[in-house]
Structure formats: structure tokens, C-alpha cells
Amino acid sequence: MSVTQSPAPAASRPAARPRIPRVPFWAQILLGLVLGVVLGFVARRYDVDWLETTLTHIGEIFIQLLKLAVAPLVFFAITISITNLRNVQNAARLATRTLLWFMATSLIAVVIGLTIGLLTDPGSSAEVTRSGDEHSSGSWLDFLTGIVPTDIVTPFAELQVLQIVFLAVVVGIAALKLGPKAAPLLSFGEAALQLLQKALWWIIRLAPLGTVGLIGNAVREYGWDLIGDYATFTADVYVGCALVLFGVYPLLLATVAKVNPVQFFKGAWPALQLAFVSRSSVGTMPLTQKVTERLGVPKEYTSFAVPFGATTKMDGCASIYPAIAAIFVAEFFHVELGIKEYLLIAFVSVIGSAATAGLTGATVMLTLTLSTLGLPLEGVGLLLAIDPILDMIRTATNVAGQAAIPVLVAAREQILDREKFATAKSFSIEDAQRETDEDADGGETRDAEGRATVPAAASPSGAS
């Protein structure tokens, strides 16, 4: 006779431990932003030395962590992305069209920047204290000769992103030509890239804390008085970036790609918010690649277009900002600019955007633009103080373009998964990291704690 065991009374069962709800990443970022502003004002108003030191170190450590991963990440990402093109049909045409759209949107952005600068005269009434931080390097000739490194170690040691890109392109093309002989090198490169991306995800998770330090330190050091001194210039940069971010990109997506721009922003939002607070296109790159894939762009093409864009597609830093800044500096020093100078600004912005590292700041591009126009390089020092405040919207604009152009090109080439695009939505950093882990593990699924799980259909007979 079989005895059936009655279930234990409900009262004797151990009570389920309530789970603490996770705070969404965007809310963590917002909290860090508010906390940074409050702590920055406290440190500035009451001259709290230990708080000042803490905010400075938190911000510096976060940026140093990003910089630590940038050099190898850029090298392996571009090298592997070039070799991955062998798996993409019409790879040469895709690469060419991607580059052409990068240049076309950069030209549109610089025209918008010039137009806003000419209409508002941002430097005509500026009365700011000139910084002693002058730059004497960065000429157009220096830019051209600086593409090719003198050795292999220096670009990585000094974070010369343009030279790292050059080395990566050469290695990637050489690996394509070698074919099977380069397989061991490519296997190592893919493993190294996965390792770097994993480490970068950890750094990204620290972004809310980094936001406290970066924003707090900026408020502590400059307060809001500085914005008043540069009010017109600051407004110009934000308006110009907003026009590109919420005007040009949506218009191109709607008319050229025939997709819903609102849906694009819904899917790309996680990368845009991280770009705004981290001020690093390269630091945001893994998340940009993830949102682009979720928007229906094939992974093989995304793995090329996004790393390439993260180091060369800089509509905020390399187009809008230097155009308005050049007009500001010219008006401040009472230098007349003519049609030739405006054409030079457009040319430098479109061709020289690769000179801007995908990190914080656009000093290299501004120096290059001013030196090409023959304007005083002291103008770079004039704008350094306001740079952290401007760099947030510039980087968000950069990243939006780095995601929008692959969507546009994929749609034009009829390789965009429109059903996937239509269902794309915002997601948490945890979800993105988990998907990356699953891709690295060959598709096996993981539970909430990140442990690998076996699908039910694959469970051994009799397993429960």
C-alpha cells in the first residue's frame, strides 16, 4: 500500500525571504547626478577639504579605469571587426557606405554648428579670464604625420587612439589576406576582446558612482558662475547637438531607413544615458553595440560599424563643437573669418574627426581646427574650464550617431531585422551583460546569479 505524504502545513513552511527590488540603472545614474550636484555645492560653499578630495579621486579613478581599457579594446575591436567582414555579404560595399554616411552626417552637423555660431555671435561679448593652459601642438601637418606611429609601444602607452586605429586596420587587413594562417592570432584576439568587454561591463556598473565624482567635482570647481560667463556658447553647443540628436538623426531614420525614430530612441536609450554621464564614446562602446544589435542590425555588421564609429564618428565633438568654438575664439580675439575659413572648418571636421579620441574631451579636434585656421591656440585654454559641462551632450550626440548610421545602412541594404527593431525597448545594464555572457558561452542561458543553466529539453532522462 502506498502512502501519500500530505503537504506540510502552510504555517510550518519557511517564509520566503522578500527580495530587495533592483534600482534601474537610469535611476542610479540620476541619483548619482543629483548627489554629485549637492555634494559639489557643499564642498564649494563650505570649503570641505576631505569632500573635495574624495570627489576628485572618485571621478579620476573612474576615468582612469575607462582609459585603462581603451587602448587594447580599440585595437582588438577594430582588428576583429575587420576580419569579421569576411562573414558579411557585400562587406566592401557596407564598409564604404558606412564611411560615406559618417562623413555626410558630419558635414550636416558642422553646417548646423556654423549656422548657429554665425547667428548668435557667441564670443562677441565674452569677458572671461584667459587660462594659462595654452597648446602649441596639433597642426594639420602634425595630424597627418601623426597617423603612423614611430613604434608599437608608444600609442598604447600614451593612448594615441588614431595611431592605435591605424595599427588595428593594418593588422586586420593583413589577417584577412593571410587567411587560415592567421586563425591562431584571431582566436587570441576574440578571446582578448571578450575579456576586455567583460571588464568594461564592470566599469560601466560603476558609472553612477563615477557620476557623483565627475559632476560633483565640476560643480565644486566652477559652480554655475562659469556657465553665465559662457552662457551663449554653452547654449549654442547644446542647441546644436540637440538639433542633430533629435532632428537630423530622426529625419534620416524616418525618410531614408523608413523606420520609427521614437522606436530607435527607445532601444538606444541605455547607451545614450551612459554616454551623457561617462563622457566616453569608447567606454560606452559595448553598450552601443548591444543596443544596435537589439535594434535589428546583424551582429557581424555591428561588430564592425560600432567600433569603427566609436573612434571616428564624432558629430558632437568633431563637428558641432569645433565649428562653434572656432567662431567664439575668432570673435574673442577679433579675427575676421571668411568663406575660405568656414570651408576649412567643414573640411577639418569631416576628414579629421578620427583625431578625436573616444574619451572625454574634444581638445585635440579644437586644437587641430584652430591651428588650421591660424587662430590663437590660447583659445583652447579659454574653453577648457567649461569643457566637462559641454562634453556630456557632445558624447551623447556622438553615440546616437554611432548607433543610428548602422541602422540606416542596414535598412538601405535590406539586412535590418525590422521585426526586431519594432520590438526593441530599453533594458537594464544587467540584461545587457547577461546577453554578452551568453554570446561568449555559445548561447547557453544563465540564471539571475549568472550561473549557467541547462535547457529543460537537454536535461538527462529522469532529472528534475
Side-chain angles (χ1 to χ4, degrees):
M1 183 175 77
S2 62
V3 179
T4 58
Q5 186 176 3
S6 60
S12 64
R13 295 177 188 168
R17 187 171 55 185
R19 300 185 66 181
I20 300 175
R22 282 183 176 175
V23 180
F25 189 70
W26 65 266
Q28 297 177 32
I29 292 291
L30 183 60
L31 181 62
L33 186 65
V34 173
L35 187 59
V37 170
V38 171
L39 293 179
F41 269 119
V42 169
R44 180 178 176 85
R45 176 69 177 82
Y46 300 104
D47 197 20
V48 184
D49 291 338
W50 68 266
L51 183 56
E52 172 185 338
T53 303
T54 302
L55 291 173
T56 301
H57 286 333
I58 289 175
E60 287 178 350
I61 290 173
F62 180 66
I63 295 300
Q64 286 171 3
L65 286 172
L66 286 175
K67 288 183 176 181
L68 185 64
V70 163
L73 182 69
V74 169
F75 178 79
F76 286 113
I78 292 182
T79 300
I80 298 302
S81 66
I82 290 175
T83 59
N84 282 342
L85 284 176
R86 68 184 185 276
N87 301 321
V88 182
Q89 191 175 8
N90 299 321
R93 186 171 70 180
L94 275 175
T96 301
R97 293 198 173 185
T98 302
L99 180 60
L100 289 176
W101 275 110
F102 279 178
M103 296 173 67
T105 48
S106 294
L107 181 60
I108 295 172
V110 75
V111 169
I112 289 175
L114 288 172
T115 302
I116 292 175
L118 291 172
L119 289 175
T120 59
D121 297 328
S124 58
S125 59
E127 295 181 1
V128 293
T129 304
R130 303 182 185 183
S131 170
D133 189 358
E134 300 181 21
H135 292 251
S136 58
S137 61
S139 69
W140 184 248
L141 183 60
D142 290 336
F143 165 65
L144 291 177
T145 56
I147 294 176
V148 183
T150 55
D151 58 74
I152 295 178
V153 177
T154 301
F156 293 90
E158 299 182 0
L159 202 58
Q160 300 290 336
V161 175
L162 186 60
Q163 294 183 355
I164 295 172
V165 170
F166 175 82
L167 290 172
V169 170
V170 170
V171 173
I173 294 175
L176 277 177
K177 295 295 183 181
L178 276 177
K181 293 182 179 179
L185 176 63
L186 296 181
S187 296
F188 170 77
E190 290 172 355
L193 183 58
Q194 290 178 2
L195 185 149
L196 290 165
Q197 287 178 331
K198 182 70 173 179
L200 198 54
W201 279 120
W202 295 339
I203 299 173
I204 288 173
R205 295 287 294 273
L206 296 174
L209 186 59
T211 302
V212 175
L214 292 171
I215 299 300
N217 191 50
V219 172
R220 176 204 60 78
E221 188 170 354
Y222 305 120
W224 298 121
D225 296 337
L226 187 68
I227 300 180
D229 292 333
Y230 292 88
T232 302
F233 179 73
T234 302
D236 284 355
V237 173
Y238 268 79
V239 169
C241 287
L243 286 174
V244 174
L245 184 57
F246 301 113
V248 174
Y249 296 150
L251 183 63
L252 290 175
L253 289 169
T255 58
V256 179
K258 309 291 185 185
V259 296
N260 185 350
V262 176
Q263 184 63 28
F264 167 79
F265 283 107
K266 193 181 296 183
W269 172 245
L272 298 184
Q273 66 171 350
L274 181 63
F276 187 83
V277 297
S278 70
R279 298 163 44 213
S280 172
S281 295
V282 172
T284 312
M285 187 173 71
L287 197 54
T288 309
Q289 188 166 335
K290 183 57 63 180
V291 301
T292 309
E293 290 174 17
R294 279 174 166 250
L295 286 166
V297 180
K299 183 176 181 179
E300 293 80 7
Y301 171 51
T302 301
S303 66
F304 162 76
V306 172
F308 184 56
T311 53
T312 60
K313 177 61 177 167
M314 304 283 175
D315 287 346
C317 291
S319 297
I320 297 169
Y321 174 70
I324 298 175
I327 294 175
F328 174 91
V329 172
E331 291 177 346
F332 186 87
F333 289 102
H334 306 290
V335 177
E336 285 289 332
L337 296 180
I339 297 296
K340 183 186 75 172
E341 284 75 23
Y342 296 134
L343 291 176
L344 273 176
I345 292 173
F347 177 77
V348 172
S349 296
V350 173
I351 304 301
S353 60
T356 55
L359 291 168
T360 58
T363 303
V364 175
M365 192 64 198
L366 179 57
T367 306
L368 175 60
T369 303
L370 296 183
S371 60
T372 301
L373 297 174
L375 292 173
L377 291 179
E378 187 182 356
V380 177
L382 282 174
L383 300 175
L384 281 178
I386 199 71
D387 193 74
I389 297 171
L390 302 177
D391 204 27
M392 294 185 288
I393 188 64
R394 291 189 318 223
T395 308
T397 306
N398 295 343
V399 169
Q402 293 157 16
I405 296 305
V407 171
L408 187 152
V409 173
R412 294 287 295 174
E413 294 295 307
Q414 298 183 353
I415 59 175
L416 180 71
D417 188 336
R418 292 182 178 270
E419 183 178 346
K420 197 173 180 181
F421 179 92
T423 57
K425 58 183 179 180
S426 184
F427 56 91
S428 67
I429 297 297
E430 293 83 359
D431 289 340
Q433 185 175 356
R434 192 177 301 119
E435 287 184 12
T436 303
D437 291 341
E438 290 172 8
D439 293 341
D441 293 335
E444 71 177 4
T445 58
R446 291 177 174 265
D447 61 16
E449 282 71 37
R451 296 186 298 256
T453 61
V454 181
S459 299
S461 177
S464 59

